[in-house]
């Protein structure tokens, strides 16, 4: 499928005069964050596909050098392998249907899996056989460091992980440990703590680890948040792993979603009505903007008017309502915009590459189905 390409977001508005919302993909920004991870992270970098599975995003990351993909469903595996046949997918969901395991193995040649229970390990052995594939045991981590906790649902305790790792090795698979400290993790220490615990588990299990997968969770720099640069996270991870006495061929692995793609997309919405300090726009929390609501995030915003028409230099906060009839469809924080904003104007909303289109519904018949590429 071809997507139209424009030199800038303003040009999109000039040319299309759109009364519908548009997702803008910025491949150069995706390339920049891919480079940050590929150069900075001391190991293998996987992209967590669930965060934004749009083909333009996947293609941009591939062109930027991302070769490994963290997939959690058969559909994600199929999407990546058919778009990028040379990509390497890892089936990193601790609970899989047997048909999905079988198809991922037989059709797509998946060779890396995640488990957090012995029943799942049995399932893999029954449906995959001994290749010998890599089996990562997902270790529970402490909560409280991240905006979104991911250890409530998945992850084995330390004692269970010890047993599972031995079991993995006994059955002839290649053992590895994975964990996820939670999404939008604010503190590098969450990683060093989890790595330290992984080390204890590894020593007790007495197995030869092939990978230590530190998961995703790397934070985006949203407005109003104080967060260390990614390089500090990378250094903390490198230093913590260096203390572990890992086998020489053990590689670190990470699987970022948010931090890789958050800057990579912006969203154009049009103001359809102004009522005093409230603006009714054509996308909202049931569409591409649900993360803003869940995370109480304030994205950067910018007013766009066609034809270079002037706008007020005085700014004011506006309450932003989405298009559906549901009164919950309102953003948690106001947008600060020129105070003469009026219907027919457009707003570019920044930092919506992560968990945006991936989560959008078709509720009430409102959704963003126009996607364009920005670049020369
Ligand atoms: C969601 C998820 C990721 C990506 O997390 P981010 O916080 O977006 O970086 C990585 N690994 C697993 C197992 C996940 O569930």
């Amino acid at each position: 499928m071809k997507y139209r390409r424009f030199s800038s977001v303003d040009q999109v508005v000039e040319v299309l005069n759109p009364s519908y919302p548009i997702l803008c993909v910025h491949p150069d920004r995706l390339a920049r964050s891919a480079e940050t991870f590929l150069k900075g992270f001391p190991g293998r970098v996987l992209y967590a596909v669930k965060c934004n599975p749009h083909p333009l995003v996947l293609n941009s990351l591939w062109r930027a050098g991302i070769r490994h993909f963290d997939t959690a469903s058969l559909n994600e595996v199929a999407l990546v392998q058919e778009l990028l046949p040379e990509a390497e997918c890892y089936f990193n969901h601790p609970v899989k249907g047997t048909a999905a395991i079988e198809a991922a193995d037989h059709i797509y040649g998946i060779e890396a899996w995640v488990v957090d229970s012995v029943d799942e390990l049995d399932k893999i052995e029954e449906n995959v056989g001994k290749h010998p594939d890599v089996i990562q045991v997902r270790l529970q981590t402490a909560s409280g460091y991240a905006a979104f906790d991911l250890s409530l649902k998945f992850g084995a305790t330390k004692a269970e992980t010890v047993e599972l790792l031995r079991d993995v090795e006994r059955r002839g698979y290649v053992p590895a440990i994975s964990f996820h400290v939670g999404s939008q993790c604010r503190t590098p220490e969450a990683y060093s703590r989890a790595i330290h615990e992984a080390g204890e588990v590894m020593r007790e299990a007495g197995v030869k680890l092939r990978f230590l997968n530190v998961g995703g969770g790397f934070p985006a720099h949203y407005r109003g948040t104080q967060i260390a640069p990614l390089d500090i996270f990378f250094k903390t991870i490198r230093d913590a792993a260096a203390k572990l006495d890992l086998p020489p061929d053990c590689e670190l692995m990470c699987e970022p979603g948010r931090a890789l793609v958050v800057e990579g997309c912006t969203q154009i919405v049009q103001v359809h009505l102004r009522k005093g300090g409230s603006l009714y726009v054509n996308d909202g929390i049931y569409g591409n903007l649900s993360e803003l609501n869940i995370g109480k995030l304030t994205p950067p915003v910018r007013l766009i008017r066609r034809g270079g028409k002037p706008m007020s230099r005085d700014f004011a906060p506006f309450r932003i309502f989405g298009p559906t009839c549901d009164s919950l469809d309102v953003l948690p924080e106001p947008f600060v915009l020129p105070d003469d904003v009026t219907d027919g104007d457009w707003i570019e909303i920044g930092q919506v590459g992560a968990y945006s289109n991936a989560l959008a519904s078709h509720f009430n018949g409102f959704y963003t189905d126009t996607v364009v590429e920005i670049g020369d």
Side-chain angles (χ1 to χ4, degrees):
M1 189 163 173
K2 288 293 277 176
Y3 295 90
R4 287 187 71 176
R5 186 187 266 259
F6 296 86
S7 63
S8 69
V9 170
D10 290 70
Q11 196 206 15
V12 175
V13 170
E14 284 303 323
V15 173
L16 299 180
N17 189 17
S19 63
Y20 44 89
I22 300 176
L23 183 73
C24 301
V25 179
H26 301 254
D28 53 332
R29 299 184 191 170
L30 291 165
R32 226 175 302 143
S33 54
E35 190 181 307
T36 301
F37 272 92
L38 290 169
K39 286 202 172 139
F41 183 78
R44 198 175 282 196
V45 179
L46 282 58
Y47 168 54
V49 173
K50 77 163 188 263
C51 190
N52 192 329
H54 196 279
L56 274 181
V57 171
L58 296 175
N59 265 325
S60 301
L61 291 175
W62 174 266
R63 265 185 266 119
I66 300 286
R67 294 289 176 266
H68 306 277
F69 294 83
D70 162 19
T71 46
S73 61
L74 186 60
N75 278 329
E76 285 185 356
V77 173
L79 171 70
V80 173
Q81 298 289 207
E82 283 167 29
L83 188 70
L84 307 166
E86 287 164 58
E88 199 171 329
C89 286
Y90 302 65
F91 207 147
N92 286 358
H93 193 305
V95 183
K96 299 166 279 301
T98 49
I101 296 175
E102 219 173 77
D105 177 61
H106 299 355
I107 300 174
Y108 298 106
I110 297 302
E111 294 177 342
W113 315 82
V114 164
V115 303
D116 68 359
S117 69
V118 73
D119 292 338
E120 188 73 10
L121 185 54
D122 288 343
K123 226 193 279 171
I124 289 175
E125 190 167 23
E126 279 155 29
N127 292 282
V128 170
K130 293 186 162 52
H131 282 319
D133 289 5
V134 171
I135 299 202
Q136 309 162 58
V137 180
R138 169 101 171 241
L139 173 67
Q140 238 169 47
T141 55
S143 55
Y145 294 107
F148 307 90
D149 204 314
L150 291 176
S151 266
L152 295 171
K153 186 164 176 181
F154 300 127
T157 63
K158 283 166 80 175
E160 290 164 348
T161 305
V162 168
E163 286 311 314
L164 279 166
L165 284 169
R166 289 179 181 153
D167 206 355
V168 163
E169 198 174 66
R170 217 168 21 241
R171 297 185 198 213
Y173 295 109
V174 178
I177 295 179
S178 79
F179 57 77
H180 198 301
V181 295
S183 199
Q184 186 65 9
C185 177
R186 292 171 292 255
T187 40
E189 289 68 39
Y191 291 90
S192 48
R193 260 188 73 152
I195 289 169
H196 176 73
E197 290 189 3
E200 290 174 348
V201 166
M202 170 187 79
R203 270 191 303 279
E204 193 173 337
V207 301
K208 200 160 164 286
L209 282 192
R210 176 68 183 83
F211 294 102
L212 176 53
N213 179 357
V214 303
F218 298 92
H221 290 259
Y222 296 115
R223 280 192 348 184
T225 56
Q226 287 292 323
I227 279 165
L230 285 175
D231 280 334
I232 302 290
F233 282 77
F234 299 153
K235 184 179 183 309
T236 304
I237 289 168
R238 187 188 297 114
D239 292 349
K243 289 188 195 135
L244 289 197
D245 209 16
L246 292 166
D249 71 339
C250 179
E251 275 177 74
L252 289 176
M253 186 148 89
C254 67
E255 44 189 31
R258 182 188 305 279
L260 254 184
V261 297
V262 66
E263 302 286 345
C265 302
T266 62
Q267 173 82 17
I268 301 172
V269 298
Q270 189 178 38
V271 179
H272 283 179
L273 190 75
R274 172 173 175 178
K275 261 190 213 169
S278 294
L279 302 178
Y280 294 76
V281 305
N282 55 5
D283 201 1
I285 69 158
Y286 293 102
N288 283 358
L289 306 177
S290 64
E291 262 275 293
L292 301 183
N293 189 44
I294 300 167
K296 305 281 176 262
L297 304 170
T298 319
V301 294
R302 173 174 82 90
L303 195 71
I304 301 176
R305 220 163 248 181
R306 271 174 96 229
K309 280 205 219 93
M311 54 182 84
S312 170
R313 294 214 183 113
D314 296 321
F315 284 70
F318 290 90
R319 199 155 187 231
I320 305 293
F321 287 101
T324 71
C325 300
D326 191 327
S327 36
L328 292 177
D329 193 2
V330 56
L331 297 185
E333 301 293 334
F335 286 1
V336 176
L337 295 163
D339 64 4
D340 64 346
V341 53
T342 180
D343 32 303
D345 285 341
W346 291 267
I347 303 169
E348 183 190 10
I349 306 171
Q351 289 187 312
V352 295
Y355 304 107
S356 48
N357 47 303
L359 292 165
S361 77
H362 283 192
F363 182 36
N364 234 177
F366 296 105
Y367 47 89
T368 298
D369 60 357
T370 301
V371 181
V372 301
E373 201 172 1
I374 307 295
D376 302 320

PDB file of all heavy atoms in Angstrom, residues 32 44 53 55 101 117 144 172 181 187-188 197 201 245 249 254 263-264 299 313 339 346:
ATOM      1  N   ARG A  32      16.043   8.574  13.972  1.00  0.00           N
ATOM      2  CA  ARG A  32      16.873   9.150  15.031  1.00  0.00           C
ATOM      3  C   ARG A  32      16.760   8.340  16.332  1.00  0.00           C
ATOM      4  O   ARG A  32      17.758   8.047  16.976  1.00  0.00           O
ATOM      5  CB  ARG A  32      16.477  10.614  15.284  1.00  0.00           C
ATOM      6  CG  ARG A  32      17.665  11.544  15.389  1.00  0.00           C
ATOM      7  CD  ARG A  32      17.230  13.002  15.510  1.00  0.00           C
ATOM      8  NE  ARG A  32      16.417  13.415  14.376  1.00  0.00           N
ATOM      9  CZ  ARG A  32      15.370  14.254  14.447  1.00  0.00           C
ATOM     10  NH1 ARG A  32      15.010  14.789  15.580  1.00  0.00           N
ATOM     11  NH2 ARG A  32      14.692  14.577  13.369  1.00  0.00           N
ATOM     12  N   ARG A  44      21.271  -6.420  21.914  1.00  0.00           N
ATOM     13  CA  ARG A  44      20.347  -6.558  20.793  1.00  0.00           C
ATOM     14  C   ARG A  44      19.089  -5.725  21.041  1.00  0.00           C
ATOM     15  O   ARG A  44      18.544  -5.756  22.138  1.00  0.00           O
ATOM     16  CB  ARG A  44      19.985  -8.045  20.677  1.00  0.00           C
ATOM     17  CG  ARG A  44      19.412  -8.444  19.380  1.00  0.00           C
ATOM     18  CD  ARG A  44      19.207  -9.952  19.326  1.00  0.00           C
ATOM     19  NE  ARG A  44      20.439 -10.702  19.063  1.00  0.00           N
ATOM     20  CZ  ARG A  44      20.442 -11.973  18.667  1.00  0.00           C
ATOM     21  NH1 ARG A  44      19.311 -12.646  18.536  1.00  0.00           N
ATOM     22  NH2 ARG A  44      21.591 -12.591  18.440  1.00  0.00           N
ATOM     23  N   PRO A  53       1.954  -0.775  15.260  1.00  0.00           N
ATOM     24  CA  PRO A  53       2.201  -1.771  14.213  1.00  0.00           C
ATOM     25  C   PRO A  53       2.002  -1.232  12.799  1.00  0.00           C
ATOM     26  O   PRO A  53       1.953  -2.014  11.855  1.00  0.00           O
ATOM     27  CB  PRO A  53       1.140  -2.844  14.529  1.00  0.00           C
ATOM     28  CG  PRO A  53      -0.003  -2.075  15.113  1.00  0.00           C
ATOM     29  CD  PRO A  53       0.595  -0.861  15.814  1.00  0.00           C
ATOM     30  N   PRO A  55       2.441  -0.226   9.117  1.00  0.00           N
ATOM     31  CA  PRO A  55       3.504  -0.618   8.179  1.00  0.00           C
ATOM     32  C   PRO A  55       4.518   0.495   7.904  1.00  0.00           C
ATOM     33  O   PRO A  55       5.706   0.207   7.732  1.00  0.00           O
ATOM     34  CB  PRO A  55       2.749  -0.968   6.894  1.00  0.00           C
ATOM     35  CG  PRO A  55       1.353  -1.262   7.325  1.00  0.00           C
ATOM     36  CD  PRO A  55       1.100  -0.508   8.596  1.00  0.00           C
ATOM     37  N   ILE A 101       1.181 -21.088  18.423  1.00  0.00           N
ATOM     38  CA  ILE A 101       2.546 -21.614  18.573  1.00  0.00           C
ATOM     39  C   ILE A 101       2.923 -22.431  17.331  1.00  0.00           C
ATOM     40  O   ILE A 101       3.992 -22.247  16.743  1.00  0.00           O
ATOM     41  CB  ILE A 101       2.665 -22.503  19.831  1.00  0.00           C
ATOM     42  CG1 ILE A 101       2.423 -21.660  21.099  1.00  0.00           C
ATOM     43  CG2 ILE A 101       4.032 -23.193  19.883  1.00  0.00           C
ATOM     44  CD1 ILE A 101       2.400 -22.470  22.390  1.00  0.00           C
ATOM     45  N   SER A 117       5.419 -20.212  33.103  1.00  0.00           N
ATOM     46  CA  SER A 117       4.820 -21.346  33.827  1.00  0.00           C
ATOM     47  C   SER A 117       5.253 -22.640  33.141  1.00  0.00           C
ATOM     48  O   SER A 117       5.611 -22.645  31.960  1.00  0.00           O
ATOM     49  CB  SER A 117       3.295 -21.245  33.802  1.00  0.00           C
ATOM     50  OG  SER A 117       2.844 -21.470  32.477  1.00  0.00           O
ATOM     51  N   GLY A 144       6.028  -0.052  41.008  1.00  0.00           N
ATOM     52  CA  GLY A 144       6.140   1.267  41.623  1.00  0.00           C
ATOM     53  C   GLY A 144       7.115   2.207  40.927  1.00  0.00           C
ATOM     54  O   GLY A 144       7.241   3.350  41.328  1.00  0.00           O
ATOM     55  N   GLY A 172      16.442 -29.431  26.748  1.00  0.00           N
ATOM     56  CA  GLY A 172      17.274 -29.227  25.559  1.00  0.00           C
ATOM     57  C   GLY A 172      17.098 -27.879  24.879  1.00  0.00           C
ATOM     58  O   GLY A 172      17.544 -27.686  23.753  1.00  0.00           O
ATOM     59  N   VAL A 181      10.035  -3.940  33.405  1.00  0.00           N
ATOM     60  CA  VAL A 181       9.918  -3.125  34.620  1.00  0.00           C
ATOM     61  C   VAL A 181       8.668  -2.254  34.635  1.00  0.00           C
ATOM     62  O   VAL A 181       8.407  -1.561  35.617  1.00  0.00           O
ATOM     63  CB  VAL A 181      11.163  -2.221  34.806  1.00  0.00           C
ATOM     64  CG1 VAL A 181      12.410  -3.059  35.051  1.00  0.00           C
ATOM     65  CG2 VAL A 181      11.334  -1.303  33.603  1.00  0.00           C
ATOM     66  N   THR A 187      12.743   5.493  36.511  1.00  0.00           N
ATOM     67  CA  THR A 187      14.031   5.418  37.197  1.00  0.00           C
ATOM     68  C   THR A 187      14.923   4.314  36.636  1.00  0.00           C
ATOM     69  O   THR A 187      14.513   3.154  36.558  1.00  0.00           O
ATOM     70  CB  THR A 187      13.823   5.119  38.693  1.00  0.00           C
ATOM     71  OG1 THR A 187      12.778   4.171  38.806  1.00  0.00           O
ATOM     72  CG2 THR A 187      13.469   6.341  39.473  1.00  0.00           C
ATOM     73  N   PRO A 188      16.159   4.660  36.289  1.00  0.00           N
ATOM     74  CA  PRO A 188      17.103   3.647  35.808  1.00  0.00           C
ATOM     75  C   PRO A 188      17.306   2.524  36.831  1.00  0.00           C
ATOM     76  O   PRO A 188      17.573   1.379  36.454  1.00  0.00           O
ATOM     77  CB  PRO A 188      18.401   4.429  35.599  1.00  0.00           C
ATOM     78  CG  PRO A 188      18.001   5.863  35.515  1.00  0.00           C
ATOM     79  CD  PRO A 188      16.739   6.020  36.283  1.00  0.00           C
ATOM     80  N   GLU A 197      18.492  -9.045  40.480  1.00  0.00           N
ATOM     81  CA  GLU A 197      17.670 -10.214  40.825  1.00  0.00           C
ATOM     82  C   GLU A 197      17.811 -11.315  39.790  1.00  0.00           C
ATOM     83  O   GLU A 197      17.877 -12.502  40.129  1.00  0.00           O
ATOM     84  CB  GLU A 197      16.192  -9.809  40.963  1.00  0.00           C
ATOM     85  CG  GLU A 197      15.961  -8.966  42.189  1.00  0.00           C
ATOM     86  CD  GLU A 197      14.489  -8.717  42.487  1.00  0.00           C
ATOM     87  OE1 GLU A 197      13.618  -9.255  41.769  1.00  0.00           O
ATOM     88  OE2 GLU A 197      14.223  -7.969  43.438  1.00  0.00           O
ATOM     89  N   VAL A 201      18.968 -15.244  40.423  1.00  0.00           N
ATOM     90  CA  VAL A 201      18.224 -16.390  39.890  1.00  0.00           C
ATOM     91  C   VAL A 201      19.136 -17.268  39.021  1.00  0.00           C
ATOM     92  O   VAL A 201      19.144 -18.497  39.130  1.00  0.00           O
ATOM     93  CB  VAL A 201      17.007 -15.886  39.074  1.00  0.00           C
ATOM     94  CG1 VAL A 201      16.413 -16.993  38.243  1.00  0.00           C
ATOM     95  CG2 VAL A 201      15.971 -15.276  40.006  1.00  0.00           C
ATOM     96  N   ASP A 245      28.764 -11.501  36.028  1.00  0.00           N
ATOM     97  CA  ASP A 245      29.487 -12.700  35.650  1.00  0.00           C
ATOM     98  C   ASP A 245      28.655 -13.557  34.681  1.00  0.00           C
ATOM     99  O   ASP A 245      28.493 -14.771  34.862  1.00  0.00           O
ATOM    100  CB  ASP A 245      29.801 -13.516  36.922  1.00  0.00           C
ATOM    101  CG  ASP A 245      31.075 -14.309  36.738  1.00  0.00           C
ATOM    102  OD1 ASP A 245      31.821 -13.974  35.782  1.00  0.00           O
ATOM    103  OD2 ASP A 245      31.314 -15.247  37.518  1.00  0.00           O
ATOM    104  N   ASP A 249      29.094 -15.640  25.981  1.00  0.00           N
ATOM    105  CA  ASP A 249      28.229 -15.485  24.798  1.00  0.00           C
ATOM    106  C   ASP A 249      26.814 -15.040  25.170  1.00  0.00           C
ATOM    107  O   ASP A 249      25.907 -15.083  24.347  1.00  0.00           O
ATOM    108  CB  ASP A 249      28.193 -16.764  23.960  1.00  0.00           C
ATOM    109  CG  ASP A 249      27.428 -17.884  24.655  1.00  0.00           C
ATOM    110  OD1 ASP A 249      27.278 -17.814  25.893  1.00  0.00           O
ATOM    111  OD2 ASP A 249      26.974 -18.815  23.964  1.00  0.00           O
ATOM    112  N   CYS A 254      16.972  -5.776  24.592  1.00  0.00           N
ATOM    113  CA  CYS A 254      15.895  -4.917  25.095  1.00  0.00           C
ATOM    114  C   CYS A 254      14.782  -4.905  24.066  1.00  0.00           C
ATOM    115  O   CYS A 254      14.998  -5.244  22.901  1.00  0.00           O
ATOM    116  CB  CYS A 254      16.394  -3.495  25.383  1.00  0.00           C
ATOM    117  SG  CYS A 254      16.899  -2.563  23.928  1.00  0.00           S
ATOM    118  N   GLU A 263       8.048   9.820  19.347  1.00  0.00           N
ATOM    119  CA  GLU A 263       8.271  11.060  18.596  1.00  0.00           C
ATOM    120  C   GLU A 263       7.959  10.888  17.114  1.00  0.00           C
ATOM    121  O   GLU A 263       7.972  11.857  16.357  1.00  0.00           O
ATOM    122  CB  GLU A 263       9.748  11.494  18.717  1.00  0.00           C
ATOM    123  CG  GLU A 263      10.247  11.713  20.133  1.00  0.00           C
ATOM    124  CD  GLU A 263       9.725  12.995  20.752  1.00  0.00           C
ATOM    125  OE1 GLU A 263       9.203  13.855  20.009  1.00  0.00           O
ATOM    126  OE2 GLU A 263       9.827  13.125  21.990  1.00  0.00           O
ATOM    127  N   GLY A 264       7.716   9.650  16.699  1.00  0.00           N
ATOM    128  CA  GLY A 264       7.651   9.328  15.269  1.00  0.00           C
ATOM    129  C   GLY A 264       6.342   9.667  14.585  1.00  0.00           C
ATOM    130  O   GLY A 264       6.260   9.604  13.357  1.00  0.00           O
ATOM    131  N   PRO A 299       0.642  16.649  25.546  1.00  0.00           N
ATOM    132  CA  PRO A 299       1.526  16.646  24.379  1.00  0.00           C
ATOM    133  C   PRO A 299       1.819  18.073  23.927  1.00  0.00           C
ATOM    134  O   PRO A 299       1.078  18.993  24.274  1.00  0.00           O
ATOM    135  CB  PRO A 299       0.681  15.928  23.323  1.00  0.00           C
ATOM    136  CG  PRO A 299      -0.723  16.325  23.670  1.00  0.00           C
ATOM    137  CD  PRO A 299      -0.768  16.449  25.179  1.00  0.00           C
ATOM    138  N   ARG A 313      -1.336  36.385  19.019  1.00  0.00           N
ATOM    139  CA  ARG A 313      -0.095  36.050  19.754  1.00  0.00           C
ATOM    140  C   ARG A 313      -0.381  35.797  21.222  1.00  0.00           C
ATOM    141  O   ARG A 313       0.515  35.468  21.982  1.00  0.00           O
ATOM    142  CB  ARG A 313       0.901  37.188  19.619  1.00  0.00           C
ATOM    143  CG  ARG A 313       1.365  37.356  18.196  1.00  0.00           C
ATOM    144  CD  ARG A 313       2.824  37.810  18.149  1.00  0.00           C
ATOM    145  NE  ARG A 313       3.185  38.017  16.760  1.00  0.00           N
ATOM    146  CZ  ARG A 313       3.464  39.194  16.223  1.00  0.00           C
ATOM    147  NH1 ARG A 313       3.494  40.259  16.986  1.00  0.00           N
ATOM    148  NH2 ARG A 313       3.752  39.305  14.946  1.00  0.00           N
ATOM    149  N   ASP A 339      -5.479  32.546  21.336  1.00  0.00           N
ATOM    150  CA  ASP A 339      -6.828  32.719  21.908  1.00  0.00           C
ATOM    151  C   ASP A 339      -7.909  33.021  20.876  1.00  0.00           C
ATOM    152  O   ASP A 339      -9.088  33.087  21.223  1.00  0.00           O
ATOM    153  CB  ASP A 339      -6.800  33.755  23.042  1.00  0.00           C
ATOM    154  CG  ASP A 339      -6.412  35.141  22.563  1.00  0.00           C
ATOM    155  OD1 ASP A 339      -6.237  35.332  21.323  1.00  0.00           O
ATOM    156  OD2 ASP A 339      -6.278  36.039  23.416  1.00  0.00           O
ATOM    157  N   TRP A 346      -6.795  23.963  12.423  1.00  0.00           N
ATOM    158  CA  TRP A 346      -6.251  22.637  12.697  1.00  0.00           C
ATOM    159  C   TRP A 346      -5.286  22.706  13.879  1.00  0.00           C
ATOM    160  O   TRP A 346      -4.686  23.766  14.136  1.00  0.00           O
ATOM    161  CB  TRP A 346      -5.489  22.091  11.488  1.00  0.00           C
ATOM    162  CG  TRP A 346      -6.379  21.751  10.335  1.00  0.00           C
ATOM    163  CD1 TRP A 346      -6.938  20.531  10.066  1.00  0.00           C
ATOM    164  CD2 TRP A 346      -6.806  22.629   9.292  1.00  0.00           C
ATOM    165  NE1 TRP A 346      -7.709  20.606   8.925  1.00  0.00           N
ATOM    166  CE2 TRP A 346      -7.649  21.887   8.427  1.00  0.00           C
ATOM    167  CE3 TRP A 346      -6.603  23.975   9.001  1.00  0.00           C
ATOM    168  CZ2 TRP A 346      -8.246  22.419   7.302  1.00  0.00           C
ATOM    169  CZ3 TRP A 346      -7.202  24.527   7.875  1.00  0.00           C
ATOM    170  CH2 TRP A 346      -8.011  23.749   7.043  1.00  0.00           C
TER     171      TRP A 346
END
